Amino acid sequence: MRRLAPACLALAAALLGCSPGSSSGEGGGPAEASENSAASSRPAAERQVAYTDRLPIARYSYTEAENTAIESAQQVLTRHCLREYGIAYEPAKPDRDVPRPADRRYGLSSATEAARFGYRPNSDAIRNERIPLPEDALPVFYGNRGAVPDGGERVMYKGKEVPADGCFGQSVKKLSKEYDEPAGSAVASRIATEGYTKSLNASPVREGFRKWSACMQNSGFRYASPMDPLNTPAFKGKTVSAKETKTAIADVRCKEETGLLGIWFKAESRIQKADIERNAKALEGLRTAHHRKVEAARRIVVEG
């Protein structure tokens, strides 16, 4: 959702489909007390701290289990639709071994990822899921996806017209049409976006940037804020250079030494909480809609 930095590209979508924390720290998640000493307290494996799914607005998103229920229901509906065309379909089992990447809401936060990938996405966390269908049946699954909207293009399969969005798109729309709450979703999306934007000007965050910048300068890198390295042209090529790796490692180390990540999270949490209070009615409507959709999805899965 955020476009102020590449690391923040899909914030709205992430928040509306993420898993909120369940502890009692600020923002709905675990307390931040030990976060500033994360580097010194790590044993063999790096300690990962989540931010996006512990922010206050994440309470109005789907949990991971709820997302799984909805996706499973979509697959059941898709299977029913494909059956009407004589196509047998069983979705591939999700790859549970794919790791979850470190939270990048505030830029890099993982020294391990910084050392391996620089400022690039964690390629280990990319899922390459293949639809288990013959090539000639894929248009029934996808429909005219990629065609010009309302261009009148029709997809036929063995003499029978296919839904414009394919069986899968039709299944997604079926649940969305009945249970989604666009107005509430728009409010949640706006709060998520504006919370990040406003946090950039919060006094504690600006002071954190100043200290982070001084730390980076001591390591030989001149950047005013953690968003600046993300937009460095030299860090967007095909390969990760030694300079990019060194910069990324220093970036994370300076965030840890200055406590910037915890400071930033707390500042944005305060901003979001105030905005949530002003929009309580719309957000409660969104929460209710989410509950109804998840219950409907679970019924579909049980009925098969």
Side-chain angles (χ1 to χ4, degrees):
M1 182 190 301
R2 345 157 211 166
R3 181 53 207 118
L4 292 169
C8 309
L9 281 174
L11 175 58
L15 281 172
L16 295 177
C18 69
S19 174
S22 58
S23 300
S24 56
E26 181 167 8
E32 300 286 327
S34 63
E35 182 175 317
N36 295 351
S37 60
S40 61
S41 64
R42 290 190 191 105
E46 182 180 34
R47 174 178 177 269
Q48 297 288 0
V49 180
Y51 300 96
T52 302
D53 58 7
R54 293 193 297 117
L55 285 165
I57 196 61
R59 298 169 188 162
Y60 302 93
S61 64
Y62 295 110
T63 67
E64 185 174 349
E66 289 171 339
N67 267 323
T68 297
I70 292 169
E71 291 168 3
S72 297
Q74 291 167 350
Q75 294 290 357
V76 169
L77 294 174
T78 299
R79 185 174 70 238
H80 291 172
C81 174
L82 289 168
R83 190 181 299 155
E84 295 178 10
Y85 295 86
I87 300 171
Y89 170 69
E90 284 298 333
K93 299 293 183 183
D95 188 353
R96 303 297 183 188
D97 295 329
V98 176
R100 184 175 182 178
D103 195 321
R104 292 195 179 193
R105 183 175 183 84
Y106 306 125
L108 294 182
S109 64
S110 163
T112 300
E113 288 191 4
R116 290 191 61 196
F117 309 108
Y119 288 93
R120 321 305 171 92
N122 181 345
S123 59
D124 289 345
I126 298 175
R127 287 181 171 85
N128 294 313
E129 296 182 357
R130 181 179 178 278
I131 304 301
L133 288 174
E135 193 72 25
D136 68 332
L138 289 177
V140 186
F141 188 93
Y142 289 117
N144 59 7
R145 189 174 69 171
V148 177
D150 301 321
E153 297 184 38
R154 299 165 60 195
V155 176
M156 304 296 295
Y157 182 80
K158 296 183 178 179
K160 187 174 181 179
E161 187 169 357
V162 173
D165 297 305
C167 283
F168 180 70
Q170 176 178 266
S171 300
V172 171
K173 280 189 171 182
K174 178 178 174 59
L175 283 173
S176 297
K177 183 177 180 180
E178 293 186 36
Y179 300 104
D180 281 1
E181 179 62 38
S185 294
V187 170
S189 179
R190 177 186 59 75
I191 291 173
T193 303
E194 292 183 358
Y196 176 84
T197 304
K198 292 176 181 177
S199 72
L200 297 173
N201 293 315
S203 296
V205 176
R206 293 178 69 85
E207 177 63 13
F209 283 3
R210 187 191 66 76
K211 292 180 179 179
W212 174 89
S213 180
C215 176
M216 289 292 284
Q217 188 167 343
N218 289 338
S219 298
F221 305 104
R222 292 183 176 273
Y223 294 105
S225 83
M227 286 82 73
D228 292 344
L230 297 168
N231 295 313
T232 301
F235 298 166
K236 297 180 180 180
K238 292 183 178 180
T239 58
V240 179
S241 66
K243 181 179 180 181
E244 179 179 351
T245 299
K246 290 178 181 178
T247 305
I249 292 173
D251 181 347
V252 175
R253 177 178 54 78
C254 286
K255 283 173 179 163
E256 292 174 340
E257 290 183 2
T258 60
L260 177 58
L261 295 172
I263 291 168
W264 203 344
F265 171 79
K266 290 175 183 177
E268 185 175 7
S269 293
R270 287 192 291 271
I271 293 167
Q272 285 194 5
K273 284 179 179 178
D275 211 352
I276 287 170
E277 289 178 5
R278 291 190 292 269
N279 295 274
K281 184 176 180 180
L283 291 172
E284 283 308 311
L286 177 63
R287 196 203 295 268
T288 298
H290 280 181
H291 178 75
R292 292 177 60 240
K293 185 173 183 177
V294 171
E295 289 303 306
R298 288 172 175 157
R299 285 196 300 270
I300 290 170
V301 172
V302 169
E303 293 168 1

